[in-house]
mmCIF file of all heavy atoms in Angstrom:
data_model
loop_
_atom_site.group_PDB
_atom_site.id
_atom_site.type_symbol
_atom_site.label_atom_id
_atom_site.label_comp_id
_atom_site.label_asym_id
_atom_site.label_seq_id
_atom_site.Cartn_x
_atom_site.Cartn_y
_atom_site.Cartn_z
ATOM 1 N N ARG A 26 -4.556 -1.899 -15.876
ATOM 2 C CA ARG A 26 -5.124 -3.097 -16.482
ATOM 3 C C ARG A 26 -6.636 -2.989 -16.515
ATOM 4 O O ARG A 26 -7.323 -3.879 -16.957
ATOM 5 C CB ARG A 26 -4.777 -4.356 -15.665
ATOM 6 C CG ARG A 26 -3.318 -4.546 -15.304
ATOM 7 C CD ARG A 26 -3.204 -5.600 -14.195
ATOM 8 N NE ARG A 26 -4.195 -5.320 -13.166
ATOM 9 C CZ ARG A 26 -4.806 -6.223 -12.416
ATOM 10 N NH1 ARG A 26 -4.506 -7.504 -12.554
ATOM 11 N NH2 ARG A 26 -5.703 -5.874 -11.512
ATOM 12 N N ILE A 160 2.777 -15.251 -0.309
ATOM 13 C CA ILE A 160 1.436 -15.595 -0.787
ATOM 14 C C ILE A 160 1.460 -15.460 -2.309
ATOM 15 O O ILE A 160 1.669 -14.351 -2.822
ATOM 16 C CB ILE A 160 0.367 -14.610 -0.226
ATOM 17 C CG1 ILE A 160 0.502 -14.410 1.284
ATOM 18 C CG2 ILE A 160 -1.038 -15.038 -0.655
ATOM 19 C CD1 ILE A 160 0.012 -15.547 2.129
ATOM 20 N N ASP A 161 1.252 -16.559 -2.996
ATOM 21 C CA ASP A 161 1.306 -16.512 -4.468
ATOM 22 C C ASP A 161 -0.034 -16.036 -5.008
ATOM 23 O O ASP A 161 -1.050 -16.726 -4.856
ATOM 24 C CB ASP A 161 1.630 -17.917 -5.005
ATOM 25 C CG ASP A 161 1.979 -17.890 -6.475
ATOM 26 O OD1 ASP A 161 1.638 -16.904 -7.158
ATOM 27 O OD2 ASP A 161 2.598 -18.861 -6.950
ATOM 28 N N ILE A 162 -0.042 -14.863 -5.617
ATOM 29 C CA ILE A 162 -1.303 -14.326 -6.154
ATOM 30 C C ILE A 162 -1.311 -14.341 -7.683
ATOM 31 O O ILE A 162 -2.169 -13.711 -8.301
ATOM 32 C CB ILE A 162 -1.593 -12.899 -5.632
ATOM 33 C CG1 ILE A 162 -0.534 -11.897 -6.117
ATOM 34 C CG2 ILE A 162 -1.709 -12.894 -4.118
ATOM 35 C CD1 ILE A 162 -0.996 -10.458 -6.060
ATOM 36 N N ARG A 163 -0.357 -15.057 -8.278
ATOM 37 C CA ARG A 163 -0.253 -14.992 -9.746
ATOM 38 C C ARG A 163 -1.485 -15.539 -10.471
ATOM 39 O O ARG A 163 -1.745 -15.158 -11.595
ATOM 40 C CB ARG A 163 1.016 -15.710 -10.215
ATOM 41 C CG ARG A 163 2.257 -14.852 -9.963
ATOM 42 C CD ARG A 163 3.519 -15.603 -10.231
ATOM 43 N NE ARG A 163 3.706 -16.690 -9.276
ATOM 44 C CZ ARG A 163 4.779 -17.464 -9.211
ATOM 45 N NH1 ARG A 163 5.779 -17.255 -10.048
ATOM 46 N NH2 ARG A 163 4.877 -18.428 -8.315
ATOM 47 N N GLY A 164 -2.248 -16.394 -9.764
ATOM 48 C CA GLY A 164 -3.465 -16.903 -10.408
ATOM 49 C C GLY A 164 -4.691 -16.037 -10.146
ATOM 50 O O GLY A 164 -5.789 -16.382 -10.585
ATOM 51 N N MET A 165 -4.498 -14.940 -9.436
ATOM 52 C CA MET A 165 -5.664 -14.111 -9.056
ATOM 53 C C MET A 165 -5.720 -12.873 -9.940
ATOM 54 O O MET A 165 -5.147 -11.834 -9.628
ATOM 55 C CB MET A 165 -5.560 -13.707 -7.582
ATOM 56 C CG MET A 165 -5.478 -14.899 -6.659
ATOM 57 S SD MET A 165 -5.374 -14.417 -4.929
ATOM 58 C CE MET A 165 -4.945 -16.004 -4.198
ATOM 59 N N SER A 166 -6.423 -12.999 -11.050
ATOM 60 C CA SER A 166 -6.366 -11.929 -12.047
ATOM 61 C C SER A 166 -7.066 -10.648 -11.589
ATOM 62 O O SER A 166 -6.841 -9.587 -12.155
ATOM 63 C CB SER A 166 -6.994 -12.417 -13.354
ATOM 64 O OG SER A 166 -8.323 -12.812 -13.094
ATOM 65 N N SER A 167 -7.875 -10.722 -10.548
ATOM 66 C CA SER A 167 -8.614 -9.511 -10.153
ATOM 67 C C SER A 167 -7.731 -8.519 -9.397
ATOM 68 O O SER A 167 -8.110 -7.362 -9.236
ATOM 69 C CB SER A 167 -9.823 -9.895 -9.298
ATOM 70 O OG SER A 167 -9.405 -10.358 -8.027
ATOM 71 N N ILE A 168 -6.577 -8.952 -8.915
ATOM 72 C CA ILE A 168 -5.752 -8.022 -8.133
ATOM 73 C C ILE A 168 -4.364 -7.847 -8.748
ATOM 74 O O ILE A 168 -3.745 -8.789 -9.212
ATOM 75 C CB ILE A 168 -5.630 -8.442 -6.648
ATOM 76 C CG1 ILE A 168 -5.212 -9.921 -6.480
ATOM 77 C CG2 ILE A 168 -6.924 -8.170 -5.913
ATOM 78 C CD1 ILE A 168 -4.967 -10.343 -5.021
ATOM 79 N N LEU A 169 -3.919 -6.599 -8.709
ATOM 80 C CA LEU A 169 -2.574 -6.289 -9.214
ATOM 81 C C LEU A 169 -1.526 -6.675 -8.172
ATOM 82 O O LEU A 169 -0.505 -7.281 -8.494
ATOM 83 C CB LEU A 169 -2.485 -4.781 -9.507
ATOM 84 C CG LEU A 169 -1.112 -4.225 -9.854
ATOM 85 C CD1 LEU A 169 -0.618 -4.799 -11.191
ATOM 86 C CD2 LEU A 169 -1.145 -2.694 -9.928
ATOM 87 N N HIS A 170 -1.780 -6.254 -6.953
ATOM 88 C CA HIS A 170 -0.858 -6.507 -5.842
ATOM 89 C C HIS A 170 -1.583 -7.263 -4.723
ATOM 90 O O HIS A 170 -2.810 -7.201 -4.631
ATOM 91 C CB HIS A 170 -0.371 -5.175 -5.245
ATOM 92 C CG HIS A 170 0.545 -4.390 -6.125
ATOM 93 N ND1 HIS A 170 0.231 -3.128 -6.593
ATOM 94 C CD2 HIS A 170 1.769 -4.679 -6.622
ATOM 95 C CE1 HIS A 170 1.234 -2.670 -7.328
ATOM 96 N NE2 HIS A 170 2.188 -3.595 -7.362
ATOM 97 N N LEU A 171 -0.810 -7.875 -3.847
ATOM 98 C CA LEU A 171 -1.433 -8.555 -2.705
ATOM 99 C C LEU A 171 -2.360 -7.607 -1.944
ATOM 100 O O LEU A 171 -3.495 -7.946 -1.592
ATOM 101 C CB LEU A 171 -0.349 -9.095 -1.754
ATOM 102 C CG LEU A 171 -0.888 -9.746 -0.469
ATOM 103 C CD1 LEU A 171 -1.703 -10.992 -0.776
ATOM 104 C CD2 LEU A 171 0.248 -10.057 0.496
ATOM 105 N N SER A 173 -4.018 -5.225 -2.903
ATOM 106 C CA SER A 173 -5.291 -4.881 -3.556
ATOM 107 C C SER A 173 -6.412 -5.711 -2.943
ATOM 108 O O SER A 173 -7.591 -5.383 -3.097
ATOM 109 C CB SER A 173 -5.236 -5.168 -5.058
ATOM 110 O OG SER A 173 -4.048 -4.713 -5.647
ATOM 111 N N GLY A 174 -6.045 -6.805 -2.243
ATOM 112 C CA GLY A 174 -7.072 -7.713 -1.741
ATOM 113 C C GLY A 174 -7.012 -7.998 -0.261
ATOM 114 O O GLY A 174 -7.747 -8.856 0.235
ATOM 115 N N ILE A 175 -6.158 -7.276 0.468
ATOM 116 C CA ILE A 175 -6.027 -7.559 1.907
ATOM 117 C C ILE A 175 -5.597 -6.296 2.640
ATOM 118 O O ILE A 175 -4.825 -5.489 2.114
ATOM 119 C CB ILE A 175 -4.985 -8.682 2.150
ATOM 120 C CG1 ILE A 175 -4.901 -9.068 3.613
ATOM 121 C CG2 ILE A 175 -3.630 -8.317 1.626
ATOM 122 C CD1 ILE A 175 -3.997 -10.283 3.868
ATOM 123 N N LEU A 184 -8.815 -7.807 6.691
ATOM 124 C CA LEU A 184 -9.886 -7.580 5.728
ATOM 125 C C LEU A 184 -9.442 -8.297 4.457
ATOM 126 O O LEU A 184 -8.303 -8.120 4.022
ATOM 127 C CB LEU A 184 -9.928 -6.063 5.495
ATOM 128 C CG LEU A 184 -11.089 -5.377 4.833
ATOM 129 C CD1 LEU A 184 -12.353 -5.632 5.619
ATOM 130 C CD2 LEU A 184 -10.784 -3.865 4.807
ATOM 131 N N LEU A 185 -10.322 -9.098 3.874
ATOM 132 C CA LEU A 185 -9.875 -9.934 2.750
ATOM 133 C C LEU A 185 -10.923 -10.033 1.643
ATOM 134 O O LEU A 185 -12.129 -10.060 1.936
ATOM 135 C CB LEU A 185 -9.624 -11.365 3.240
ATOM 136 C CG LEU A 185 -8.461 -11.615 4.176
ATOM 137 C CD1 LEU A 185 -8.677 -12.916 4.934
ATOM 138 C CD2 LEU A 185 -7.164 -11.665 3.404
ATOM 139 N N ILE A 186 -10.463 -10.151 0.413
ATOM 140 C CA ILE A 186 -11.374 -10.505 -0.674
ATOM 141 C C ILE A 186 -11.566 -12.026 -0.665
ATOM 142 O O ILE A 186 -10.757 -12.771 -0.084
ATOM 143 C CB ILE A 186 -10.860 -10.048 -2.056
ATOM 144 C CG1 ILE A 186 -9.489 -10.665 -2.371
ATOM 145 C CG2 ILE A 186 -10.837 -8.536 -2.159
ATOM 146 C CD1 ILE A 186 -9.074 -10.526 -3.822
ATOM 147 N N ASP A 187 -12.594 -12.451 -1.346
ATOM 148 C CA ASP A 187 -12.963 -13.868 -1.327
ATOM 149 C C ASP A 187 -11.809 -14.788 -1.763
ATOM 150 O O ASP A 187 -11.556 -15.819 -1.150
ATOM 151 C CB ASP A 187 -14.191 -14.051 -2.244
ATOM 152 C CG ASP A 187 -14.748 -15.453 -2.124
ATOM 153 O OD1 ASP A 187 -14.782 -15.978 -1.008
ATOM 154 O OD2 ASP A 187 -15.122 -16.021 -3.167
ATOM 155 N N GLU A 188 -11.095 -14.374 -2.827
ATOM 156 C CA GLU A 188 -10.028 -15.248 -3.341
ATOM 157 C C GLU A 188 -8.927 -15.514 -2.324
ATOM 158 O O GLU A 188 -8.221 -16.506 -2.416
ATOM 159 C CB GLU A 188 -9.390 -14.621 -4.591
ATOM 160 C CG GLU A 188 -10.185 -14.815 -5.856
ATOM 161 C CD GLU A 188 -9.593 -13.996 -6.988
ATOM 162 O OE1 GLU A 188 -9.664 -12.748 -6.904
ATOM 163 O OE2 GLU A 188 -9.082 -14.585 -7.954
ATOM 164 N N LEU A 189 -8.769 -14.599 -1.369
ATOM 165 C CA LEU A 189 -7.683 -14.756 -0.400
ATOM 166 C C LEU A 189 -8.131 -15.355 0.931
ATOM 167 O O LEU A 189 -7.309 -15.849 1.701
ATOM 168 C CB LEU A 189 -7.031 -13.388 -0.129
ATOM 169 C CG LEU A 189 -6.127 -12.850 -1.231
ATOM 170 C CD1 LEU A 189 -5.799 -11.387 -0.976
ATOM 171 C CD2 LEU A 189 -4.836 -13.657 -1.318
ATOM 172 N N GLN A 190 -9.421 -15.320 1.193
ATOM 173 C CA GLN A 190 -9.850 -15.609 2.569
ATOM 174 C C GLN A 190 -9.576 -17.031 3.023
ATOM 175 O O GLN A 190 -9.392 -17.268 4.210
ATOM 176 C CB GLN A 190 -11.315 -15.248 2.767
ATOM 177 C CG GLN A 190 -12.271 -16.143 2.068
ATOM 178 C CD GLN A 190 -13.578 -16.255 2.862
ATOM 179 O OE1 GLN A 190 -13.599 -16.029 4.064
ATOM 180 N NE2 GLN A 190 -14.651 -16.608 2.186
ATOM 181 N N SER A 191 -9.516 -17.977 2.078
ATOM 182 C CA SER A 191 -9.295 -19.354 2.533
ATOM 183 C C SER A 191 -7.824 -19.769 2.456
ATOM 184 O O SER A 191 -7.483 -20.941 2.671
ATOM 185 C CB SER A 191 -10.164 -20.317 1.721
ATOM 186 O OG SER A 191 -9.923 -20.098 0.359
ATOM 187 N N HIS A 192 -6.953 -18.826 2.175
ATOM 188 C CA HIS A 192 -5.519 -19.157 2.133
ATOM 189 C C HIS A 192 -5.065 -19.596 3.536
ATOM 190 O O HIS A 192 -5.385 -18.926 4.531
ATOM 191 C CB HIS A 192 -4.714 -17.943 1.674
ATOM 192 C CG HIS A 192 -3.307 -18.300 1.301
ATOM 193 N ND1 HIS A 192 -2.357 -18.662 2.247
ATOM 194 C CD2 HIS A 192 -2.694 -18.373 0.108
ATOM 195 C CE1 HIS A 192 -1.214 -18.928 1.636
ATOM 196 N NE2 HIS A 192 -1.394 -18.762 0.331
ATOM 197 N N PRO A 193 -4.333 -20.718 3.615
ATOM 198 C CA PRO A 193 -3.943 -21.215 4.944
ATOM 199 C C PRO A 193 -3.143 -20.216 5.782
ATOM 200 O O PRO A 193 -3.196 -20.264 7.020
ATOM 201 C CB PRO A 193 -3.102 -22.463 4.621
ATOM 202 C CG PRO A 193 -3.005 -22.566 3.140
ATOM 203 C CD PRO A 193 -3.944 -21.595 2.509
ATOM 204 N N ALA A 194 -2.436 -19.318 5.154
ATOM 205 C CA ALA A 194 -1.629 -18.350 5.919
ATOM 206 C C ALA A 194 -2.493 -17.460 6.815
ATOM 207 O O ALA A 194 -2.008 -16.900 7.794
ATOM 208 C CB ALA A 194 -0.824 -17.472 4.958
ATOM 209 N N PHE A 195 -3.780 -17.344 6.468
ATOM 210 C CA PHE A 195 -4.637 -16.439 7.233
ATOM 211 C C PHE A 195 -5.553 -17.184 8.202
ATOM 212 O O PHE A 195 -6.430 -16.589 8.817
ATOM 213 C CB PHE A 195 -5.485 -15.580 6.268
ATOM 214 C CG PHE A 195 -4.664 -14.911 5.195
ATOM 215 C CD1 PHE A 195 -5.004 -15.006 3.853
ATOM 216 C CD2 PHE A 195 -3.525 -14.192 5.530
ATOM 217 C CE1 PHE A 195 -4.233 -14.404 2.867
ATOM 218 C CE2 PHE A 195 -2.739 -13.588 4.558
ATOM 219 C CZ PHE A 195 -3.099 -13.695 3.219
ATOM 220 N N ARG A 200 -11.212 -13.019 10.145
ATOM 221 C CA ARG A 200 -11.236 -12.548 8.761
ATOM 222 C C ARG A 200 -12.543 -11.825 8.448
ATOM 223 O O ARG A 200 -13.618 -12.389 8.656
ATOM 224 C CB ARG A 200 -11.044 -13.721 7.793
ATOM 225 C CG ARG A 200 -9.596 -14.200 7.757
ATOM 226 C CD ARG A 200 -9.468 -15.593 7.209
ATOM 227 N NE ARG A 200 -9.886 -16.566 8.207
ATOM 228 C CZ ARG A 200 -10.008 -17.853 7.983
ATOM 229 N NH1 ARG A 200 -9.762 -18.347 6.795
ATOM 230 N NH2 ARG A 200 -10.392 -18.668 8.934
ATOM 231 N N ILE A 201 -12.418 -10.617 7.977
ATOM 232 C CA ILE A 201 -13.603 -9.870 7.537
ATOM 233 C C ILE A 201 -13.621 -9.958 6.019
ATOM 234 O O ILE A 201 -12.695 -9.490 5.349
ATOM 235 C CB ILE A 201 -13.528 -8.393 7.979
ATOM 236 C CG1 ILE A 201 -13.387 -8.307 9.502
ATOM 237 C CG2 ILE A 201 -14.748 -7.630 7.487
ATOM 238 C CD1 ILE A 201 -13.146 -6.897 10.004
ATOM 239 N N LEU A 202 -14.651 -10.593 5.499
ATOM 240 C CA LEU A 202 -14.732 -10.796 4.053
ATOM 241 C C LEU A 202 -15.393 -9.582 3.400
ATOM 242 O O LEU A 202 -16.469 -9.150 3.811
ATOM 243 C CB LEU A 202 -15.543 -12.060 3.767
ATOM 244 C CG LEU A 202 -15.784 -12.383 2.298
ATOM 245 C CD1 LEU A 202 -14.466 -12.679 1.588
ATOM 246 C CD2 LEU A 202 -16.736 -13.564 2.168
ATOM 247 N N VAL A 203 -14.727 -9.043 2.391
ATOM 248 C CA VAL A 203 -15.291 -7.920 1.639
ATOM 249 C C VAL A 203 -16.166 -8.484 0.527
ATOM 250 O O VAL A 203 -15.721 -9.367 -0.223
ATOM 251 C CB VAL A 203 -14.156 -7.052 1.040
ATOM 252 C CG1 VAL A 203 -14.730 -5.842 0.325
ATOM 253 C CG2 VAL A 203 -13.198 -6.612 2.133
ATOM 254 N N ASP A 204 -17.392 -7.984 0.402
ATOM 255 C CA ASP A 204 -18.284 -8.488 -0.651
ATOM 256 C C ASP A 204 -17.668 -8.251 -2.027
ATOM 257 O O ASP A 204 -16.967 -7.254 -2.240
ATOM 258 C CB ASP A 204 -19.642 -7.765 -0.589
ATOM 259 C CG ASP A 204 -20.445 -8.212 0.627
ATOM 260 O OD1 ASP A 204 -19.989 -9.133 1.344
ATOM 261 O OD2 ASP A 204 -21.510 -7.632 0.856
ATOM 262 N N ALA A 205 -17.979 -9.132 -2.955
ATOM 263 C CA ALA A 205 -17.382 -9.048 -4.294
ATOM 264 C C ALA A 205 -17.647 -7.690 -4.957
ATOM 265 O O ALA A 205 -16.774 -7.143 -5.630
ATOM 266 C CB ALA A 205 -17.922 -10.180 -5.168
ATOM 267 N N ASP A 206 -18.831 -7.134 -4.733
ATOM 268 C CA ASP A 206 -19.127 -5.847 -5.376
ATOM 269 C C ASP A 206 -18.472 -4.665 -4.657
ATOM 270 O O ASP A 206 -18.603 -3.527 -5.084
ATOM 271 C CB ASP A 206 -20.654 -5.641 -5.496
ATOM 272 C CG ASP A 206 -21.340 -5.616 -4.137
ATOM 273 O OD1 ASP A 206 -20.741 -6.108 -3.147
ATOM 274 O OD2 ASP A 206 -22.462 -5.093 -4.056
ATOM 275 N N ALA A 208 -15.076 -5.125 -3.653
ATOM 276 C CA ALA A 208 -13.715 -5.667 -3.526
ATOM 277 C C ALA A 208 -12.633 -4.577 -3.519
ATOM 278 O O ALA A 208 -11.615 -4.715 -2.832
ATOM 279 C CB ALA A 208 -13.453 -6.672 -4.644
ATOM 280 N N TYR A 209 -12.859 -3.497 -4.259
ATOM 281 C CA TYR A 209 -11.838 -2.439 -4.307
ATOM 282 C C TYR A 209 -11.522 -1.904 -2.899
ATOM 283 O O TYR A 209 -10.381 -1.519 -2.615
ATOM 284 C CB TYR A 209 -12.319 -1.297 -5.212
ATOM 285 C CG TYR A 209 -11.355 -0.144 -5.282
ATOM 286 C CD1 TYR A 209 -10.207 -0.208 -6.090
ATOM 287 C CD2 TYR A 209 -11.549 1.008 -4.520
ATOM 288 C CE1 TYR A 209 -9.304 0.851 -6.132
ATOM 289 C CE2 TYR A 209 -10.655 2.065 -4.555
ATOM 290 C CZ TYR A 209 -9.535 1.979 -5.368
ATOM 291 O OH TYR A 209 -8.638 3.020 -5.407
ATOM 292 N N ALA A 211 -11.172 -3.418 -0.207
ATOM 293 C CA ALA A 211 -10.293 -4.260 0.622
ATOM 294 C C ALA A 211 -8.934 -3.596 0.832
ATOM 295 O O ALA A 211 -8.212 -3.927 1.766
ATOM 296 C CB ALA A 211 -10.111 -5.630 -0.018
#
Side-chain angles (χ1 to χ4, degrees):
R26 310 165 314 148
I160 311 285
D161 192 341
I162 64 160
R163 283 172 293 185
M165 302 181 191
S166 58
S167 70
I168 50 175
L169 172 66
H170 290 118
L171 176 64
S173 315
I175 184 174
L184 195 59
L185 292 159
I186 59 167
D187 188 40
E188 280 172 293
L189 285 168
Q190 71 148 337
S191 53
H192 194 289
F195 309 129
R200 285 160 284 173
I201 302 173
L202 177 64
V203 183
D204 288 355
D206 61 341
Y209 178 79

